């Protein structure tokens, strides 16, 4: 039996897995030495071995409905691609890749498109997933950099989840948060989401705000931190359709917590004002000094294991 250490290809947590092959049978377990999951796996990662069967897979190249050898298939693909370029030019070709690819795969695809075909028409689903977060970080820091780690989540006093149902979408990270809260009962968890999701099971406060009003909630917090009055709590309450006392509790917890971290994902990014919402979150961390310290910072949770590699 051979063992291979690799990475789960599903969500953005990037769990390490150990795949053991015995003939055609593959078994999966979590990698106890991996810093993302320390051996934990969710149901999706645990079932990876079930996806390796050959039934229903394309095992050989097929051209026009016929199985052919690899040299013929590659030659045919290259010739047809060249014919398109000769007739319509390089701009007639585009590649759409995936956040599940390895960085080396992205490099090869980019080299083929930009270096050989001569166009820049390559994109990935990572842009749809994370472009708002990228713009937010670049506005704030000048580059796409996430100033937090999973250890910061475990070492914080206040964990704020915005537009994130981590219990379902980042389950192993959620398990780490559950364990951290168990180890430190003084830790508070705030979930900001119009829906009551499974993540609310560990929430000390659930702010079921009006959909799309996230930026107003954080602008109000920023105003309070800076001692300005443009967005007082009654105005925030009306804008977000939330009780004033719940907003006051959240603001008080954030301002008084020695360490606070905000986790945000698609509920923020997938919006016509997603970048502004990202910056509203980042700004309260910068203004309050809850940044660049253990247990602090604005933490964008990506949806795919190699979105940044794209």
């Amino acid at each position: 039996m051979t063992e291979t250490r690799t990475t789960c290809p599903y969500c953005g947590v990037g769990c390490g897995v150990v795949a053991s092959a015995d003939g055609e049978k593959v078994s999966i377990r979590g990698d106890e030495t991996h810093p993302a999951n320390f051996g934990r796996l969710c149901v999706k990662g645990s079932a990876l071995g079930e996806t390796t069967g050959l039934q229903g897979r394309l095992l050989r190249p097929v051209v026009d409905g016929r199985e052919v050898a690899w040299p013929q298939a590659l030659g045919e693909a290259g010739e047809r691609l060249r014919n398109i370029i000769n007739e319509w030019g390089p701009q007639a070709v585009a590649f759409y890749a995936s956040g599940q690819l390895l960085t080396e795969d992205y490099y090869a695809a980019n080299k083929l498109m930009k270096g050989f075909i001569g166009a820049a028409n390559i994109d990935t689903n990572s842009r749809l997933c994370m472009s708002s977060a990228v713009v937010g970080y670049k506005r704030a820091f000048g580059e796409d950099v996430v100033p937090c780690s999973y250890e910061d989540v475990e070492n914080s006093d206040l964990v704020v989840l915005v537009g994130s149902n981590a219990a379902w979408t980042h389950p192993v990270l959620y398990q780490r948060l559950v364990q951290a809260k168990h180890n430190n009962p003084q830790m508070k968890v705030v979930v900001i989401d119009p829906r009551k999701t499974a993540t609310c099971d560990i929430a000390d406060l659930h702010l079921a705000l009006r959909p799309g009003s996230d930026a107003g909630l954080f602008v109000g917090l920023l105003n309070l931190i800076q001692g300005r009055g443009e967005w007082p709590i009654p105005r925030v309450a009306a804008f977000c359709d939330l009780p004033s006392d719940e907003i006051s509790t959240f603001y008080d917890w954030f301002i008084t917590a020695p360490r606070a971290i905000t986790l945000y994902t698609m509920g923020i990014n997938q919006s016509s004002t997603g970048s502004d919402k990202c910056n509203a979150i980042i700004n309260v961390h910068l203004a309050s000094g809850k940044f660049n310290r253990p247990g602090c910072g604005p933490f964008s949770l990506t949806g795919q294991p190699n979105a940044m590699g794209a």
Side-chain angles (χ1 to χ4, degrees):
M1 181 179 294
T2 59
E3 288 192 347
T4 302
R5 279 181 160 76
T6 184
T7 305
C8 179
Y10 290 129
C11 80
V13 176
C15 293
V17 299
V18 179
S20 302
D22 185 6
E24 293 185 1
K25 183 180 179 181
V26 178
S27 59
I28 299 291
R29 74 173 192 274
D31 186 348
E32 297 86 354
T33 65
H34 198 282
N37 58 316
F38 296 106
R40 298 182 181 93
L41 285 180
C42 73
V43 64
K44 292 180 289 185
S46 299
L48 275 171
E50 300 174 21
T51 70
T52 60
L54 300 182
Q55 186 176 4
R57 290 180 179 269
L58 184 65
L59 303 180
R60 298 173 185 81
V62 174
V63 176
D64 295 332
R66 296 182 298 106
E67 284 190 2
V68 299
W70 274 105
Q72 180 181 345
L74 292 172
E76 187 76 24
E79 182 180 352
R80 295 187 185 188
L81 192 59
R82 174 54 61 190
N83 290 340
I84 292 171
I85 295 170
N86 288 341
E87 182 174 359
W88 302 102
Q91 296 299 329
V93 180
F95 291 168
Y96 194 64
S98 164
Q100 274 69 32
L101 294 178
L102 299 176
T103 303
E104 293 80 5
D105 297 329
Y106 290 128
Y107 174 81
N110 271 275
K111 191 169 185 177
L112 174 59
M113 171 56 72
K114 298 174 182 178
F116 288 84
I117 294 175
N121 303 331
I122 180 169
D123 207 347
T124 78
N125 56 1
S126 306
R127 182 183 302 278
L128 179 64
C129 175
M130 298 303 298
S131 57
S132 298
V134 170
V135 171
Y137 280 136
K138 291 186 73 172
R139 281 174 175 173
F141 310 130
E143 61 179 309
D144 177 21
V145 57
V146 182
C148 306
S149 69
Y150 292 158
E151 288 76 13
D152 290 317
V153 177
E154 296 169 321
N155 293 313
S156 192
D157 301 295
L158 174 67
V159 178
V160 183
L161 296 105
V162 192
S164 167
N165 184 15
W168 284 11
T169 59
H170 298 86
V172 171
L173 178 59
Y174 179 77
Q175 292 169 20
R176 292 182 63 165
L177 175 58
V178 171
Q179 186 63 49
K181 187 169 173 58
H182 175 77
N183 294 341
N184 177 19
Q186 300 304 312
M187 173 191 283
K188 289 185 171 60
V189 175
V190 176
V191 174
I192 302 172
D193 195 315
R195 304 178 305 141
K196 185 175 182 179
T197 66
T199 303
C200 294
D201 289 350
I202 62 167
D204 298 285
L205 177 64
H206 172 214
L207 297 177
L209 77 180
R210 179 175 61 83
S213 63
D214 312 77
L217 181 66
F218 283 92
V219 167
L221 176 55
L222 180 64
N223 270 242
L224 188 61
I225 292 170
Q226 294 184 321
R228 301 173 63 175
E230 291 92 336
W231 273 81
I233 288 177
R235 182 179 180 183
V236 176
F239 183 78
C240 298
D241 195 19
L242 284 171
S244 294
D245 61 330
E246 292 185 1
I247 297 173
S248 296
T249 297
F250 169 50
Y251 286 0
D252 179 64
W253 286 358
F254 190 94
I255 291 172
T256 60
R259 299 167 297 181
I261 189 168
T262 304
L263 312 178
Y264 56 99
T265 183
M266 297 308 127
I268 292 294
N269 295 339
Q270 300 298 316
S271 165
S272 59
T273 57
S275 298
D276 293 336
K277 293 175 182 178
C278 292
N279 282 112
I281 293 169
I282 294 170
N283 287 343
V284 299
H285 281 275
L286 294 175
S288 64
K290 294 177 173 63
F291 174 79
N292 200 31
R293 293 191 287 115
C296 296
F299 195 165
S300 168
L301 299 179
T302 182
Q304 299 162 95
N306 199 21
M308 293 190 74

